[in-house]
Amino acid sequence: MRVIVAPLEDPKEVYQVCVHSIANECLRNRLTALENDICVAASDYKQKAKTKKLYTIPPNNCENEEIALGQVTKKELINVYSSHMVGKEKPARKAYYDLLLSRAPSGKCPFCGFGQVWTLDHYLPKTTYPQLSVVPSNLVPSCRDCNTGKSTFIATTENTQSLHPYFDHQIITNEQWLFAKVIETSPATIQFYVKAPIDWDEISKARVHSHFKDFKLELRYSLEASDQLGCLRDTLSQYRDLLGTMAVKQHLFIESQTHIRKHMNSWQTAMFQALSVSDWYCDGGFQ
Ligand SMILES: [Zn+2]
């Protein structure tokens, strides 16, 4: 899980660039008439994101062919993104790339912290919140797995809102809540779990659990860790043979410290911490 700086792009400008490239004059005019509605929706979104109230924005459950806003159908609003922002050769493609690349300069997905950024994820899905289809604050760079594999569940309470990489910096970075333990199997495996600080409010505690569950991070982190454990085997054998078990422990501890300074709640931080305190693992469980 990583934080990224919220977009500076003006929602009105992004919407205008998308709409102005539409050849069909009637559709373009109907969409242009919604400019103020889109600005109001964007402003409301930002204010609610900052106060952790995005769950209070009412979903639009109309059918694709039904009017969603003004004289525009849900499908037409969604297409502003799908065809006129993502579409190659479209002027708004630049805004798409800017959000994709400059918001996540490391190239890593902020939702999981390890996947390669591949697309923009609608934090509030465009199929249910079509008015937010091209609102920059709702578009978060994401890896393919987080974008397509996350739960389709839509939060209707404060507790069930997953973390927002643009707006939840405090929860994500201030204190550790992602941990792991070594499972003494052959080969060793790592089990990840969430344990929020006890002095946190109940909503924040619930939200980190929701995020971990919605993005299926327990399994995905374990798979990443399995690969890393395979790579560590040879290095740790050499440490133990040359310098003893304590050197293995120290090496793993230093790794954990290096990772925690970079990303407090990364799977690597949790994994190296767990490995460094496991006497079983350091004494040969790594083989
Ligand atoms: Zn991801």
Side-chain angles (χ1 to χ4, degrees):
M1 185 76 213
R2 296 186 180 193
V3 296
I4 44 180
V5 179
L8 300 172
E9 284 82 355
D10 179 359
K12 187 174 183 177
E13 277 179 27
V14 172
Y15 183 75
Q16 283 175 337
V17 175
C18 293
V19 170
H20 287 179
S21 70
I22 296 172
N24 180 323
E25 188 180 353
C26 171
L27 174 61
R28 192 172 65 242
N29 288 340
R30 285 187 288 118
L31 285 165
T32 298
L34 295 185
E35 271 181 19
N36 280 342
D37 297 279
I38 300 300
C39 289
V40 169
S43 171
D44 183 51
Y45 179 95
K46 206 166 182 176
Q47 190 264 329
K48 288 194 161 78
K50 286 178 179 171
T51 53
K52 327 293 182 205
K53 302 282 185 196
L54 283 177
Y55 74 97
T56 63
I57 298 178
N60 183 325
N61 293 316
C62 76
E63 298 295 323
N64 277 342
E65 308 299 336
E66 289 177 349
I67 295 292
L69 199 59
Q71 295 178 42
V72 177
T73 66
K74 179 183 268 190
K75 188 178 176 184
E76 288 168 335
L77 259 181
I78 292 172
N79 273 345
V80 175
Y81 174 79
S82 307
S83 300
H84 304 287
M85 186 172 188
V86 179
K88 289 184 176 128
E89 315 295 328
K90 295 288 180 184
R93 180 81 175 181
K94 182 186 179 306
Y96 176 84
Y97 270 127
D98 285 348
L99 286 166
L100 196 64
L101 302 177
S102 65
R103 292 300 111 200
S106 68
K108 297 293 180 193
C109 168
F111 291 110
C112 62
F114 68 89
Q116 199 64 36
V117 162
W118 178 260
T119 187
L120 291 178
D121 178 71
H122 289 78
Y123 180 87
L124 291 184
K126 59 185 181 304
T127 49
T128 319
Y129 303 88
Q131 74 278 21
L132 299 168
S133 289
V134 297
V135 168
S137 302
N138 191 42
L139 301 174
V140 185
S142 161
C143 71
R144 204 191 304 236
D145 284 343
C146 284
N147 181 247
T148 59
K150 73 174 177 181
S151 160
T152 53
F153 169 78
I154 291 172
T156 53
T157 65
E158 287 176 307
N159 289 3
T160 50
Q161 299 177 104
S162 58
L163 301 178
H164 199 312
Y166 292 150
F167 297 101
D168 289 317
H169 289 203
Q170 205 171 349
I171 297 180
I172 296 166
T173 60
N174 280 13
E175 290 184 80
Q176 189 174 1
W177 45 264
L178 178 65
F179 295 91
K181 62 181 175 187
V182 177
I183 306 298
E184 298 179 5
T185 49
S186 182
T189 50
I190 305 291
Q191 186 175 355
F192 291 85
Y193 62 95
V194 166
K195 187 180 177 194
I198 50 171
D199 58 340
W200 275 17
D201 62 86
E202 293 307 312
I203 293 165
S204 297
K205 284 181 186 172
R207 289 189 65 203
V208 288
H209 280 281
S210 287
H211 189 89
F212 190 67
K213 181 168 163 248
D214 286 349
F215 288 93
K216 304 176 177 67
L217 295 179
E218 182 179 357
L219 174 63
R220 294 171 63 205
Y221 285 164
S222 286
L223 292 171
E224 287 297 306
S226 293
D227 183 52
Q228 181 74 55
L229 293 183
C231 299
L232 276 173
R233 210 164 285 143
D234 186 52
T235 306
L236 297 182
S237 292
Q238 292 191 47
Y239 267 99
R240 191 185 62 166
D241 294 347
L242 292 170
L243 302 164
T245 299
M246 190 49 71
V248 172
K249 223 175 221 315
Q250 284 170 344
H251 172 73
L252 294 168
F253 176 73
I254 290 167
E255 285 286 342
S256 74
Q257 293 299 297
T258 304
H259 282 285
I260 202 169
R261 279 193 291 271
K262 286 201 289 188
H263 300 290
M264 175 87 69
N265 289 296
S266 72
W267 68 268
Q268 293 100 326
T269 296
M271 181 191 77
F272 279 111
Q273 279 177 341
L275 295 178
S276 70
V277 299
S278 167
D279 292 337
W280 172 84
Y281 183 79
C282 295
D283 200 26
F286 54 81
Q287 288 178 316

